[in-house]
Amino acid sequence: MSIDQAISAPRALTSTERELIEVWQELLGVDDLGPDEDFFSRGGHSLLAIRSMIRLKERLGTDVPYPVIAAHPTPGELAAWIDEHRTDAAGSPAAPAGPSRQDRGVPAPLSPAQEQIWILQQLHPDSSSYHFQARLDFDGDLATDALRAALNAVMERHEVFRTSVRLADDGSPVQLVHPYEPYDLPVTDLSGLDDARQDALDALTAEILAERFDLERPPLVRWHLIRLGAGEHVLMIVEHHLIHDGWSFNVFLGELAENYRRVKAGRAPRTEARAIDFVDLAVWQRERLDSGDRERQLAYWSERFATPPAPLDLPLDRPRPEVPSHRGRALRIPLDAELGAGLRSFAREQGVSLYLTLFSGWLAELNRLTGQRDLCVGSSLANRVLPETQQLIGMLVNNLPMRVEVDPGRPVTDVLRAARRTVVEAQAHPDVPFHQILAASQRRRDVSRNAFFQVSFGFHDAPLASLALPGVRMTVTEGISNGSAKFDMNIVVVPRLEQGLGAGHGEHGESITLIWEYATDLFDEATVQRLAASYQDTLRWIVQHPDTPLEEFTVTAPAVPETIEDVIAEIWSELLGQPVTGPDADFLELGGHSMLAIRSAARLGERLGVQVAALEVLRHPTVGELAARIRQSGDSPEAAR
């Protein structure tokens, strides 16, 4: 059946419309997209729009920037724009040259995003705020040699893992790629410690996370394998943000799993050098900015912040110190499945991405919390519009100030539109480091808080390939707290369904988790729990009342759950990736196993302030049984109830 027949088109499609519909149908997984249907209302989002940019460049030879797609979201509108802006090859100006291979023996400049990270690290040399931590749990017959080979293959293939950063003679930071040397993966065996195993794991984890990097000595990544039992292993990962962003981490995970499968099958892992690697992209980005694009982009940001926004008046538990310590913690807060499904449905109905839905909900919540209308929140742009960057590991993301006016007398649909305009404009001016935006504003700094924005909101929807391993179940826990905080609050949304576009259907589940990092100088955990609960209530109300003015939302957020049952259910929901409700919910029947029992016990201990043995989770696997057992211990917060 032709495309015209499939969509019952009342007119013949132009060749450009046909190409565009084919690309979008493939990305959206549909076969009936009409020329007047909105890409975003059919399930499209920013990541798929970026992928379509790459496909259209390959098929039509035309650059279609993301802001153009956002402004022309139907095939008919976008095809008309493409045809209008396309010129004959003979008469068109030469396209800007892409990245080219650089001399690896010569130091190269940092990318704009790296430069910002480097400056922040120099200002706070003892801080680990710009380290990234993750944990991979392996349940099953892990082949340590295959894992070691897989890790080394990733390091050999991606130069950024063997790149150092130092000062050049002129005082500017530069990066240098070093020859590959095998990584000697340390392995610590805790399997013989029995009851002391969890304490030893906690102590070793703290030691691994506390270690600093010498930026002049690669690698700027640390891997450490811990054996807990015959079928239980943990791989701790620490990377410096000079070589890491969220998209890169998902590329790393995909290649790690692929290489492990290759080695186990007796095949060679992928170690071939990339034609264009991160240092080439960094040079290209610098050349673009130096050719005049910096002035164009800075002009936009200077106008946007000619009058700076007032600082957010957040509900602090303590006075703000004159100089922040950058100490912090992070909570992992799962959204319940019903709310997640409602948010995804709402986003489709409104023709926006899930990111914009959650971001707009956070703006609405900030308006409720502070009473302020002129809101500025940091948010990250992936900056991966070139085909060469899709499988590149490096620091490309840029955290930029998103300034949005929120009128509580208007419905959330107005906030969505305003937020979308702001994000689209930022997408057109994405490369200038934040410190240059700040310098261009010529404003005097208040060192007690981050300039322009004190709260950041990120969305980690980078594609994640299949992580299936032969004979082993691998579980990923990204964003582990190392006791630091970049901002007053930094919320990162991890939507597994959106990440799973690169894997088998449903492999990564549909859970949505908030990693909520906060500054302990300013907030108590109970306050953050209340804020998180209030935000979720705001999201629920928005989904149900999209056309009602925000000021009519008067529901008071419930208090933080105080019962042991609530805490158990919350932690299990996060670990198991599915809702846990009712006292009879069974940990084992829901997919729990010994490794998750160890993690459950550790988190229960943190939340309840009592010692909970992992064995108790396995012996008393229902919510009600485990809660009763904890109360019987006599030292729980509810023992007297």
Side-chain angles (χ1 to χ4, degrees):
M1 182 183 296
S2 70
I3 288 181
D4 302 83
Q5 293 171 323
I7 63 175
S8 301
R11 58 173 174 79
L13 299 174
T14 68
S15 60
T16 305
E17 286 175 330
R18 187 182 304 279
E19 293 276 2
L20 184 54
I21 288 174
E22 287 181 357
V23 168
W24 280 2
Q25 287 189 158
E26 180 183 349
L27 291 172
L28 295 171
V30 302
D31 59 5
D32 60 347
L33 184 68
D36 300 319
E37 287 191 86
D38 190 296
F39 171 79
F40 297 98
S41 68
R42 290 300 302 271
H45 49 74
S46 57
L47 178 58
L48 289 182
I50 289 172
R51 289 182 179 178
S52 74
M53 292 163 52
I54 296 167
R55 300 274 182 89
L56 292 173
K57 174 68 173 178
E58 294 171 345
R59 294 180 67 156
L60 300 176
T62 303
D63 287 309
V64 186
Y66 174 80
V68 171
I69 296 178
H72 304 80
T74 71
E77 292 173 349
L78 187 57
W81 184 94
I82 291 172
D83 289 337
E84 179 182 348
H85 288 79
R86 188 172 6 186
T87 58
D88 293 336
S92 63
S100 59
R101 189 81 178 171
Q102 302 296 310
D103 183 352
R104 295 305 190 257
V106 178
L110 302 185
S111 72
Q114 279 183 312
E115 179 183 296
Q116 178 64 32
I117 298 297
W118 183 84
I119 288 174
L120 291 168
Q121 186 68 81
Q122 301 310 303
L123 292 174
H124 309 284
D126 296 327
S127 174
S128 56
S129 298
Y130 289 91
H131 293 186
F132 167 84
Q133 303 76 221
R135 164 178 172 154
L136 306 185
D137 287 89
F138 300 96
D139 186 29
D141 186 18
L142 179 70
T144 304
D145 289 343
L147 179 66
R148 182 181 291 107
L151 287 168
N152 271 283
V154 175
M155 178 169 284
E156 184 174 358
R157 175 170 161 78
H158 292 276
E159 294 175 340
V160 75
F161 283 126
R162 38 195 173 87
T163 296
S164 64
V165 177
R166 61 175 174 82
L167 287 178
D169 293 339
D170 63 359
S172 61
V174 293
Q175 56 186 320
L176 182 65
V177 176
H178 297 254
Y180 165 69
E181 293 182 4
Y183 185 85
D184 186 13
L185 177 66
V187 180
T188 301
D189 191 345
L190 303 179
S191 60
L193 297 183
D194 297 329
D195 292 342
R197 186 183 309 161
Q198 185 60 50
D199 290 340
L201 176 61
D202 292 343
L204 180 57
T205 298
E207 179 183 333
I208 294 169
L209 299 187
E211 187 177 349
R212 300 291 191 264
F213 288 104
D214 180 349
L215 302 185
E216 296 188 12
R217 297 181 59 189
L220 301 185
V221 62
R222 190 176 304 120
W223 298 315
H224 195 123
L225 185 64
I226 305 167
R227 185 174 187 268
L228 300 178
E232 301 175 13
H233 291 80
V234 171
L235 180 69
M236 295 302 304
I237 302 171
V238 184
E239 300 180 8
H240 199 287
H241 268 299
L242 280 167
I243 68 168
H244 161 95
D245 60 18
W247 188 301
S248 296
F249 183 64
N250 281 9
V251 174
F252 161 77
L253 290 175
E255 291 202 12
L256 177 68
E258 179 189 357
N259 285 327
Y260 183 92
R261 292 191 293 265
R262 282 173 171 260
V263 174
K264 285 288 289 180
R267 295 186 293 149
R270 294 181 61 193
T271 59
E272 69 276 13
R274 296 178 53 85
I276 296 297
D277 215 321
F278 179 73
V279 69
D280 306 310
L281 182 72
V283 172
W284 177 76
Q285 288 180 323
R286 284 289 174 187
E287 290 175 344
R288 278 183 52 200
L289 288 176
D290 292 343
S291 67
D293 206 36
R294 178 183 287 103
E295 287 69 26
R296 178 189 69 83
Q297 295 193 36
L298 274 178
Y300 164 79
W301 293 109
S302 296
E303 180 181 357
R304 188 81 172 130
F305 289 91
T307 302
L312 284 176
D313 186 20
L314 296 169
L316 309 182
D317 291 307
R318 283 171 290 284
R320 184 181 298 275
E322 293 183 3
V323 179
S325 71
H326 295 287
R327 289 189 294 268
R329 291 194 64 198
L331 302 178
R332 302 182 69 85
I333 301 168
L335 302 187
D336 66 66
E338 182 180 357
L339 176 57
L343 289 166
R344 289 185 171 108
S345 176
F346 175 85
R348 287 192 297 270
E349 292 168 0
Q350 297 297 325
V352 299
S353 65
L354 182 61
Y355 158 71
L356 270 178
T357 299
L358 286 157
F359 180 51
S360 298
W362 179 234
L363 292 170
E365 177 64 15
L366 286 175
N367 173 258
R368 291 186 63 220
L369 280 173
T370 67
Q372 295 168 263
R373 298 188 176 201
D374 183 10
L375 300 173
C376 189
V377 175
S379 198
S380 300
L381 303 181
N383 277 0
R384 291 179 181 258
V385 297
L386 296 177
E388 298 93 331
T389 63
Q390 299 304 293
Q391 294 300 312
L392 193 68
I393 294 180
M395 183 58 191
L396 282 76
V397 72
N398 198 4
N399 201 20
L400 293 171
M402 304 291 180
R403 190 174 187 177
V404 182
E405 184 77 18
V406 176
D407 181 356
R410 305 293 299 169
V412 73
T413 49
D414 277 28
V415 183
L416 283 169
R417 285 191 288 269
R420 185 172 179 174
R421 284 194 301 271
T422 297
V423 172
V424 167
E425 290 176 3
Q427 290 275 7
H429 308 86
D431 298 316
V432 179
F434 178 71
H435 72 274
Q436 293 185 9
I437 297 174
L438 183 59
S441 73
Q442 298 181 340
R443 297 285 169 178
R444 185 172 181 176
R445 285 291 313 274
D446 174 2
V447 297
S448 71
R449 69 183 82 222
N450 193 64
F452 291 167
F453 62 89
Q454 296 80 55
V455 172
S456 183
F457 189 94
F459 198 77
H460 186 25
D461 63 346
L464 182 59
S466 174
L467 302 183
L469 303 178
V472 185
R473 177 184 178 186
M474 180 168 70
T475 305
V476 181
T477 306
E478 60 270 83
I480 295 173
S481 175
N482 64 2
S484 68
K486 304 176 187 68
F487 308 103
D488 292 2
M489 287 185 182
N490 180 29
I491 303 165
V492 178
V493 181
V494 183
R496 293 302 188 198
L497 180 62
E498 286 66 24
Q499 289 183 338
L501 295 172
H505 178 69
E507 177 183 333
H508 302 314
E510 300 184 2
S511 66
I512 301 174
T513 300
L514 308 180
I515 302 175
W516 200 302
E517 182 183 273
Y518 64 96
T520 51
D521 284 348
L522 306 176
F523 301 101
D524 293 329
E525 181 177 326
T527 299
V528 176
Q529 291 279 6
R530 283 193 293 273
L531 291 176
S534 179
Y535 172 48
Q536 292 174 74
D537 276 341
T538 298
L539 291 174
R540 290 188 185 92
W541 186 86
I542 285 171
V543 167
Q544 297 167 4
H545 306 86
D547 300 318
T548 304
L550 294 171
E551 62 189 6
E552 295 188 18
F553 177 32
T554 58
V555 176
T556 302
V560 179
E562 293 182 349
T563 68
I564 295 175
E565 286 85 353
D566 286 332
V567 175
I568 293 172
E570 188 175 319
I571 290 173
W572 285 3
S573 293
E574 178 185 341
L575 291 175
L576 299 170
Q578 57 184 306
V580 175
T581 57
D584 296 326
D586 192 295
F587 178 77
L588 299 176
E589 292 179 359
L590 291 170
H593 49 76
S594 55
M595 179 64 71
L596 290 180
I598 293 172
R599 295 166 66 190
S600 171
R603 295 192 187 177
L604 286 169
E606 292 176 1
R607 289 284 301 276
L608 299 175
V610 298
Q611 290 292 324
V612 180
L615 196 56
E616 297 294 343
V617 178
L618 300 174
R619 287 175 174 169
H620 308 280
T622 70
V623 170
E625 291 172 355
L626 184 57
R629 179 59 182 167
I630 293 173
R631 288 191 180 95
Q632 290 172 5
S633 68
D635 58 356
S636 75
E638 296 183 353
R641 296 185 184 183

